[in-house]
Amino acid sequence: MRYLTAGESHNKGLVAILEGIPAGVSIDENYINFELSLRQGGYGRGDRMKIEKDRVEIISGVRMGYSIGSPISLFIPNNDWQNYKDKYHQQGLEYYTPRPGHGDLPGVLKYNFTECRNVLERASARETAVRVAVGSICQQFLSIFNIKVYSYVLSIGPVKIPPKADDYTKIYQSQFYTLDKDRDEELIELVDRVKRDGDSLGGVVETVIEGLPPGLGNYIQHDLKLDGLLAGEIMAVPSVKGVEFGLGFSGTSLLGSQFHDPIVLKDGVKRLKNNAGGIEGGMSNGEKIVIRSAIKPIPTLLKGMDTINLKNKEKSSTDYQRSDVTVVPAASVVIKNVVAFVIAQQFHLKFGGDHLNDTLKSYNNYLKRIEEIFYG
Amino acid sequence: MRYLTAGESHNKGLVAILEGIPAGVSIDENYINFELSLRQGGYGRGDRMKIEKDRVEIISGVRMGYSIGSPISLFIPNNDWQNYKDKYHQQGLEYYTPRPGHGDLPGVLKYNFTECRNVLERASARETAVRVAVGSICQQFLSIFNIKVYSYVLSIGPVKIPPKADDYTKIYQSQFYTLDKDRDEELIELVDRVKRDGDSLGGVVETVIEGLPPGLGNYIQHDLKLDGLLAGEIMAVPSVKGVEFGLGFSGTSLLGSQFHDPIVLKDGVKRLKNNAGGIEGGMSNGEKIVIRSAIKPIPTLLKGMDTINLKNKEKSSTDYQRSDVTVVPAASVVIKNVVAFVIAQQFHLKFGGDHLNDTLKSYNNYLKRIEEIFYG
Amino acid sequence: MRYLTAGESHNKGLVAILEGIPAGVSIDENYINFELSLRQGGYGRGDRMKIEKDRVEIISGVRMGYSIGSPISLFIPNNDWQNYKDKYHQQGLEYYTPRPGHGDLPGVLKYNFTECRNVLERASARETAVRVAVGSICQQFLSIFNIKVYSYVLSIGPVKIPPKADDYTKIYQSQFYTLDKDRDEELIELVDRVKRDGDSLGGVVETVIEGLPPGLGNYIQHDLKLDGLLAGEIMAVPSVKGVEFGLGFSGTSLLGSQFHDPIVLKDGVKRLKNNAGGIEGGMSNGEKIVIRSAIKPIPTLLKGMDTINLKNKEKSSTDYQRSDVTVVPAASVVIKNVVAFVIAQQFHLKFGGDHLNDTLKSYNNYLKRIEEIFYG
Amino acid sequence: MRYLTAGESHNKGLVAILEGIPAGVSIDENYINFELSLRQGGYGRGDRMKIEKDRVEIISGVRMGYSIGSPISLFIPNNDWQNYKDKYHQQGLEYYTPRPGHGDLPGVLKYNFTECRNVLERASARETAVRVAVGSICQQFLSIFNIKVYSYVLSIGPVKIPPKADDYTKIYQSQFYTLDKDRDEELIELVDRVKRDGDSLGGVVETVIEGLPPGLGNYIQHDLKLDGLLAGEIMAVPSVKGVEFGLGFSGTSLLGSQFHDPIVLKDGVKRLKNNAGGIEGGMSNGEKIVIRSAIKPIPTLLKGMDTINLKNKEKSSTDYQRSDVTVVPAASVVIKNVVAFVIAQQFHLKFGGDHLNDTLKSYNNYLKRIEEIFYG
């Protein structure tokens, strides 16, 4: 399973090709659009989100509602294109003041541009919309095996929102995609205040994978470890500056005897705690996989930041670009979906199958094989 | 540039094939062996480290001291092999009590084994020796371009050792590979105490890449981002449970205006701080790349942990396996070297060249091209 | 450099994402469309070719006429979609009689389909249109370095058309894309006769790459050899059943002293003949690369072929599907373009560069380096 | 499944890492050595073959005779190393006269060498020994599923040896690995005569894969087609200049109705002939896969060839290097084994499984699923 994306922020739209979903998987376009709307939602998004009501167009690979094994290609039009189609291929969109925190400056140097337009068009987090679409197809594949991926917000700026209960059905009852909607007002107040100051906020996202059997990923080679693959794909999401599994950094100050999760018998093999975050030896161990991702405050600030002007090499300030106060809720949706891709890919690598029925049989054989030891 | 490794912990030895180092790079076997000795050193290692004085054998790809463009293959004999050669391919080495924190249990399930021997042989951190050898060749390639990778320990268990000064030449003056050797005694005391308790310690490692030009890595595709590639490769090192760049998790509570690093003119384009950790938009931005990795306490405990016995499916305790109290110093060496691989790979991807001179010319052309804007 | 395609034959259209073209390459949409029209042209095509006047839409990656380094995504609408949009996602297009020579039967078995529709939609040579578009962008990249790829027809069925002269500008003066348009009438007569018989014709295509420097490809690993990469990509073109370089099969009966091409001095290093077809040791050797591809007669026959009916498992005959008598001219265009992709990929792998200027400098450095020995 | 090789011709030996063989496969070292001896055998080999009695050393990945899922690393010592160990890393082995037909000249230019030694060390067909070892492990994996790969010689120079009967057990009764040992004397006479003349011979090899189910490979993407993958890997074998499936080039002059293989019912679905060579739509179709490869006469001639001297850029002649008259029998063994790798890789991609039992169940499920339609 592999995918590539293409498309720029103010050009026609975003494209993805996702290859390797077996035939026979029911693909619900509404679900993709629902996930796209989640990415656009969340409190604290800027005006652009109102312009775009992203809707996916499935160009190929799905027929009469089912995957057919052929590459699934997706198109998400940029609704803004109507405003840009006469300008996009013209001079006039030059952007000379590279924004700290964005790829503007290294991108201009790398690609020998004289200004940032071409960089910001592609490096923009806009592109994550189509990664969400890809991942939401992977989610539909995984859900057949009762594997679910959830992401929710653990903090916005300095405000921590510990999960009230592990009821993941409640995530989207919160405007911040937290597991405690009762604290939304506090966060609204925070965001509004920061918005007035022309500033921005980061936060922490937690992602949980439920229902994964033990043995996905592999310990045999550096580039096959499940945690490595997940970390690589998550860190490739714009604004992510850190990834940790289980206790992560906080576990480094514990003793081994405190950290590790004893193996006990209790209707099969269980763990009484999950400090490892569901991964041992680069493999899923049958517990929930728990990942936390650090999202930096977005770099496009209403109040501007010190920078240089590439045209005259003088001190300058970043121009205001229409933007958001915080993308932590949106990032939680993106991370959920890139995680879904990695899990679907590794799942299919292990179980094979060109049609869903083949994969199902192979999967069920595996569950039966490990049943005696593992499921008790 | 790519590499694969092979080899088990008590079998003959470890093998690696590293492909893509251009011809003409001076390869010093002593440097590889020095890095191998660093991995084996550090206070708190177990007895096994005394058995093995790892020394690399370069089987191919280097001639008269220089790379010849052909795949470099490496062999590191397991010195323990003398003790195991009559036992390794016999019954008698069965290990029935999967150790929490290791890949033992998921590995046994995945591969349909009845006991853990085959898993622990390959999933063992022993394999990282040959990753160190691979990376230390990459270091030699990078050093031609004045690109250096350093790793040092920031904490062992609950004890934090902030760098006293950024003088990376002093790392190995500390027995714990910290940047403050004056605190070694405190750490020795800690490790000795934990050892008496039969327990283990984790910690945090910081890695710095110096001398990298802006523009390595790429924003154009999910699997080309420099931070994603680094995080993926680091998280694939055994015991690593978290990776962060720059401020990482701690930066999530800052405001955007505090977090981001203004771009200023000062003998070229500079940043006054480096909260981003040297990566913006999935590319190096010309500042130091700063990465922190969370190392969990090692799971093999002298005092044992609760587990099951796979033979009779009864409650049991892990057997004592000869092991270490902490591998944080060793992990710092491994991380340095896998980072060196990723950087060398991305460097060569950008600049190309079959012989070092080609790469050098291409690199110097690039430096000249960005000089006016960047180096001022 | 890599690409993926998607899209089915009677669905909305074809999609491709091509990644790795450096920034700064002038991309002429007209040239892509010209190549697309060549693929659709050539004498002996069926009616479908008249329905579709393929025109590419560049969705991303090109701005103001130049590549910007970002993935180039392409869309070629299926003009037939207007006739199918109400039927495509409905029952009624079932195709129960697998056609010998097509992927129908193995595809149905592989993917657990009950009839051939989903297979023929994707396995159709229709998909090669977008490979042509991808390759014609690669051609534009290569032509900056004076590297040109040509393909022409050497035979149609039993009729051989040896090149009259190596004037590749004349290829498309022949309706059969041969190098001897004077023999078009003879071929027209052949094709018309075979058409009346409801049968089809194959042929042989020759491809020439001019202007390639020595040293592309690599001898160091099985999957890096230039001939292997070219053969793999060409054999993946529908209807190709054989690929050979230089003398190919006919050279197997010669003596070594007859076969091999002596190295002589004559304004640099030259060969007096080119039996090797420009590749030695898996690398370009500086001579023209010469490849011949065997194109089987197309399997969709007006007069039908014996097959089975998948519904009732009874003897049957293939239905008539609108089709062509011969696709040899079209195949020559497809092969030219997939070859252009491989060459562009290997070229960029060797010389690197994010902007065309970087690649050019690196390339010129190489030419200068080998000048003394090679160019004399 | 993937593999890399390393090692030079007169250095210590050859190394390979083969990854992806599931656990539980019985690996017989004798079988590997038998295949290695076949590669070294065949009439017409030079003296070097007598020096080296290649024997593989399995360094890892196999325990108590079975694969354990971990990477299998192999070492084949160069027996010649004893004669070279004092010379290999010294001046004195310079080779200034690039041999036409070898990679010498393009290799020297590519890698900026002043003479050919480093190139010929790695580009030598010596490296194919370890590819044979890799493939012979794959053969053992495939044979569990009753999939067999055979290669035999169809011609040596101008002498064609059509198979007398398709009894593949008789291949190695012929000193030339043909299917008609009665004609060995005629070939011996030919080879002896050519040897006296200081010349060399090529030939054609046919490879047959038996027992493959339909549906391996894929039509959905250019780089997944079974014929493309096979052709790419075969063309990467030194001396191969052409590859064709089924009728190949000779089929291009037939009519479609003559070429294609009608689908008939006869104890399941059968073909009455196999002009397609067992591949349709880039997939196995359940018939034998039949491949022919063109092997050029080896370029190292006792009588020398015109070339230049790189030191003084004057006309010269190639030095005599100990060599063979023909490698066609040896090439047949190499091709068999690289084919076995591709088939094993594609087989495992389709059926998955970490332990052989998983793969077997998945495979049997597939056979059962297609039974009604295919096996009758």
Side-chain angles (χ1 to χ4, degrees), chain C residues 28-60:
Chain C
D28 182 355
E29 207 171 290
N30 291 330
Y31 186 72
I32 308 173
N33 287 328
F34 171 67
E35 289 284 300
L36 289 174
S37 73
L38 291 177
R39 194 195 73 96
Q40 292 189 288
Y43 197 86
R45 307 306 304 278
D47 298 330
R48 176 152 193 195
M49 290 303 115
K50 286 156 200 158
I51 297 176
E52 311 160 24
K53 285 282 173 212
D54 282 335
R55 295 190 68 80
V56 76
E57 181 188 358
I58 300 177
I59 299 179
S60 70

Side-chain angles (χ1 to χ4, degrees), chain C residues 82-138:
Chain C
Q82 294 311 317
N83 305 320
Y84 276 84
K85 66 181 176 183
D86 297 332
K87 300 188 269 190
Y88 189 75
H89 288 285
Q90 304 294 333
Q91 302 294 334
L93 295 174
E94 292 76 16
Y95 190 85
Y96 287 101
T97 50
R99 295 159 301 164
H102 279 290
D104 294 359
L105 183 60
V108 158
L109 296 166
K110 177 182 183 71
Y111 279 111
N112 202 22
F113 299 137
T114 53
E115 47 85 31
C116 311
R117 172 57 55 186
N118 289 340
V119 180
L120 62 86
E121 283 293 328
R122 177 68 188 160
S124 164
R126 168 78 190 136
E127 182 262 349
T128 59
V130 82
R131 286 198 238 178
V132 166
V134 163
S136 64
I137 290 172
C138 295

Side-chain angles (χ1 to χ4, degrees), chain D residues 334-356:
Chain D
V334 178
I335 291 168
K336 172 174 62 170
N337 280 293
V338 300
V339 163
F341 166 73
V342 173
I343 297 299
Q345 179 192 49
Q346 296 304 304
F347 188 90
H348 194 260
L349 185 69
K350 177 165 175 46
F351 297 112
D354 289 310
H355 186 277
L356 175 61

Side-chain angles (χ1 to χ4, degrees), chain C residues 248-324:
Chain C
F249 281 90
S250 72
T252 64
S253 54
L254 298 186
L255 293 168
S257 57
Q258 299 167 320
F259 185 97
H260 296 290
D261 309 318
I263 301 172
V264 298
L265 291 167
K266 198 188 149 189
D267 302 331
V269 171
K270 287 274 156 29
R271 311 301 177 99
L272 298 179
K273 52 192 172 71
N274 185 19
N275 288 348
I279 295 191
E280 289 171 319
M283 294 167 285
S284 61
N285 68 2
E287 300 297 304
K288 275 189 201 178
I289 290 180
V290 182
I291 314 165
R292 266 180 311 286
S293 307
I295 315 297
K296 70 181 181 186
I298 51 171
T300 310
L301 304 181
L302 182 53
K303 65 181 180 183
M305 284 201 77
D306 284 353
T307 187
I308 59 167
N309 185 312
L310 292 170
K311 198 155 42 175
N312 52 22
K313 278 213 60 177
E314 289 183 2
K315 196 171 176 323
S316 183
S317 179
T318 56
D319 293 342
Y320 174 60
Q321 295 274 310
R322 186 179 47 188
S323 189
D324 314 317

Side-chain angles (χ1 to χ4, degrees), chain A residues 3 5 101 109-111 122 199-200 215 217-218 220-222 233 236 241 243 245 256-257 260 276 280 297 369, chain B residues 3 5 101 109-111 122 199-200 215 217-218 220-222 233 236 241 243 245 256-257 260 276 280 297 369 372:
Chain A
Y3 78 95
T5 79
L109 296 166
K110 178 182 183 71
Y111 279 112
R122 177 67 187 160
D199 218 317
S200 68
N218 211 327
I220 65 164
Q221 198 68 256
H222 64 106
E233 188 75 6
K241 298 300 282 186
V243 177
F245 291 85
S257 57
H260 296 290
E280 290 172 317
R369 167 158 86 63
Chain B
Y3 78 96
T5 79
L109 296 166
K110 177 182 183 72
Y111 279 112
R122 177 68 187 159
D199 219 319
S200 68
N218 211 325
I220 66 163
Q221 198 67 259
H222 64 107
E233 189 75 5
K241 299 300 282 185
V243 177
F245 291 86
S257 57
H260 296 291
E280 290 172 319
R369 167 158 86 62
E372 201 202 353

Side-chain angles (χ1 to χ4, degrees), chain A residues 293-338:
Chain A
S293 307
I295 316 296
K296 70 180 181 188
I298 52 170
T300 310
L301 303 183
L302 181 53
K303 64 180 179 186
M305 285 201 75
D306 284 354
T307 187
I308 57 167
N309 186 312
L310 292 170
K311 200 155 41 175
N312 51 21
K313 278 210 66 180
E314 289 182 1
K315 196 169 175 327
S316 182
S317 178
T318 56
D319 293 344
Y320 174 59
Q321 294 273 310
R322 186 179 48 193
S323 189
D324 312 319
V325 173
T326 184
V327 292
V328 181
S332 77
V333 179
V334 178
I335 291 168
K336 171 173 64 169
N337 281 293
V338 300

Side-chain angles (χ1 to χ4, degrees), chain D residues 160-297:
Chain D
K160 291 181 176 25
I161 313 286
K164 212 172 183 178
D166 280 359
D167 182 354
Y168 304 125
T169 65
K170 301 220 164 123
I171 294 169
Y172 302 116
Q173 294 182 4
S174 157
Q175 292 181 65
F176 293 89
Y177 306 167
T178 72
L179 277 173
D180 186 355
K181 75 171 163 35
D182 296 347
R183 296 188 61 191
D184 275 14
E185 270 179 68
E186 184 183 343
L187 291 174
I188 288 172
E189 201 185 339
L190 169 68
V191 166
D192 289 351
R193 177 160 39 85
V194 168
K195 185 175 193 169
R196 283 190 299 273
D197 294 346
D199 219 317
S200 68
L201 289 161
V204 174
V205 165
E206 191 161 88
T207 304
V208 168
I209 310 164
E210 279 193 331
L212 213 54
L216 248 71
N218 211 327
Y219 57 83
I220 65 163
Q221 199 66 258
H222 64 107
D223 57 358
L224 299 177
K225 311 232 171 178
L226 189 60
D227 36 7
L229 293 164
L230 286 164
E233 188 75 7
I234 294 171
M235 200 70 88
V237 172
S239 291
V240 175
K241 299 299 282 185
V243 177
E244 60 180 17
F245 291 85
L247 288 189
F249 281 90
S250 72
T252 63
S253 55
L254 298 186
L255 292 168
S257 57
Q258 298 167 319
F259 185 96
H260 295 290
D261 309 317
I263 300 172
V264 299
L265 291 166
K266 196 187 153 192
D267 303 330
V269 171
K270 288 272 156 29
R271 310 300 177 99
L272 299 178
K273 53 193 173 71
N274 185 19
N275 289 347
I279 296 189
E280 290 172 320
M283 292 167 285
S284 61
N285 69 5
E287 300 298 304
K288 275 189 203 178
I289 291 181
V290 182
I291 315 165
R292 265 180 312 285
S293 307
I295 316 298
K296 70 181 181 187

